[in-house]
Amino acid sequence: MVNVVQKLTILTPTFNRSKLLVNLFKSLQKQTCKDFVWVVVDDGSEDDTETVVRNLGGQSLFKIQFLKKKNGGKHTAINYGITKIDTELVMIVDSDDMLTADAVETILNIHEKYGDNKRVGSYSFLRCDKNGMSIVPIERNEFIDNYIQYRIKGNHPGDMAEVFMTQILRQYPFPEFAGEKFISEDVAWIEIGKSFDTVYINKPIYICEYLDGGLTANDKPMKFAAPLGSMLRGKQLMFRQCGLMANIKGAIIYNCYAHVNQTNDKISLDSYFEKILVMLTKPLGRLFLIKWKGR
């Protein structure tokens, strides 16, 4: 029997979500192309996640790899998973979400078209709700742009369905701070955007549902519990190419979470531009701290 080398890994970090994983598994079983591996990284779950995933492996039409680590937050599970996979591409799919039946086939067709372009580091498709409505619509069918220029400076926020070259995610892992279990994904995406472009494709392939217990719903409390990571996000947004509006927002974020940072560690400011922005927005940082804490 000839071993087939898969090109794509679906990487799912999970924590106490064993029941939800079944729905994702069913959507993977329906894929029109099975040229992928599903890697589940259990971030220290206390439920029956391992048993569920191993039972699903006996039913699966594709390869499943189960990894387990000590609880450290979604970003640490992603970092760990990236070190264990050997496919060209990786797509992070949360345990409470699903893929459309043609998702893998669509990804691999796009990769066939752009895979030799050394400037391209990722493909960005659309997410939709269960009714097929796009979360973040884009205005063109298919184009190459830069994450910083298009998404940050161009003001196109919101969740999209990103697929990365695996070697690039290895090169730019999520920063990890002791005791912190959350960091915004754009901390890494902006860093990648300094060197690589993205192909944007106006097609939904990712079906999402924002649950009450999920990271999106608990965004602010998670950020307050991770002040160093939140300050780093503010610093990233102060990168000049992000544009003045994002720079000011970044300075406010930096100041806000600096107020709640109780550690001896700091996120240093590297330029006079950053230092001046932070100095000028200190009062706003305090006001937004009160506002966000009030929520």
Side-chain angles (χ1 to χ4, degrees), residues 10-241:
I10 306 296
L11 178 61
T12 299
T14 187
F15 176 69
N16 290 343
R17 293 288 186 88
S18 62
K19 293 179 175 61
L20 296 173
L21 284 168
V22 177
N23 291 328
L24 172 54
F25 171 77
K26 289 177 180 178
S27 79
L28 297 180
Q29 284 281 75
K30 295 177 182 177
Q31 290 301 306
T32 56
C33 173
K34 302 295 192 299
D35 186 11
F36 68 96
V37 183
W38 187 29
V39 174
V40 179
V41 183
D42 185 348
D43 188 38
S45 294
E46 298 167 343
D47 62 5
D48 59 345
T49 292
E50 182 170 0
T51 299
V52 168
V53 173
R54 296 201 183 282
N55 287 341
L56 292 175
Q59 312 166 36
S60 131
L61 301 174
F62 49 87
K63 182 179 178 182
I64 298 179
Q65 182 179 1
F66 179 81
L67 304 171
K68 189 160 186 172
K69 61 177 286 295
K70 182 180 177 181
N71 180 251
K74 175 183 174 180
H75 63 298
T76 68
I78 293 171
N79 285 347
Y80 180 70
I82 292 297
T83 67
K84 302 297 182 180
I85 65 179
D86 56 7
T87 56
E88 294 178 33
L89 302 171
V90 59
M91 181 185 196
I92 301 162
V93 180
D94 291 343
S95 53
D96 52 349
D97 296 330
M98 295 175 286
L99 295 182
T100 61
D102 63 347
V104 171
E105 182 178 358
T106 300
I107 292 166
L108 295 181
N109 285 341
I110 286 293
H111 185 55
E112 186 71 24
K113 185 174 180 180
Y114 293 98
D116 292 332
N117 188 331
K118 301 303 181 185
R119 278 289 307 174
V120 170
S122 60
Y123 310 119
S124 195
F125 300 87
L126 301 185
R127 295 191 185 202
C128 65
D129 61 22
K130 289 186 175 181
N131 298 316
M133 295 295 294
S134 297
I135 305 299
V136 181
I138 56 178
E139 66 282 0
R140 287 177 280 166
N141 285 333
E142 186 177 310
F143 59 97
I144 298 177
D145 210 324
N146 180 269
Y147 181 90
I148 295 169
Q149 294 300 317
Y150 180 68
R151 297 272 269 144
I152 305 295
K153 188 175 183 179
N155 193 30
H156 292 88
D159 292 334
M160 298 186 75
E162 293 93 351
V163 179
F164 288 90
M165 309 298 175
T166 302
Q167 62 179 0
I168 289 174
L169 279 190
R170 283 202 191 101
Q171 186 178 350
Y172 298 95
F174 290 103
E176 298 183 18
F177 298 99
E180 297 195 357
K181 297 185 178 182
F182 177 83
I183 196 164
S184 296
E185 290 183 342
D186 56 0
V187 169
W189 299 172
I190 290 173
E191 197 63 33
I192 292 171
K194 294 176 183 179
S195 302
F196 298 96
D197 292 332
T198 298
V199 181
Y200 290 92
I201 304 100
N202 189 17
K203 178 177 171 61
I205 64 169
Y206 189 117
I207 305 166
C208 58
E209 182 176 3
Y210 297 115
L211 301 177
D212 290 341
L215 292 182
T216 302
N218 293 282
D219 179 72
K220 284 294 184 290
M222 294 291 286
K223 287 178 178 177
F224 280 117
L228 291 173
S230 300
M231 289 172 69
L232 180 59
R233 178 172 183 251
K235 176 182 169 63
Q236 286 284 54
L237 288 171
M238 284 187 276
F239 181 56
R240 292 291 288 268
Q241 278 76 0

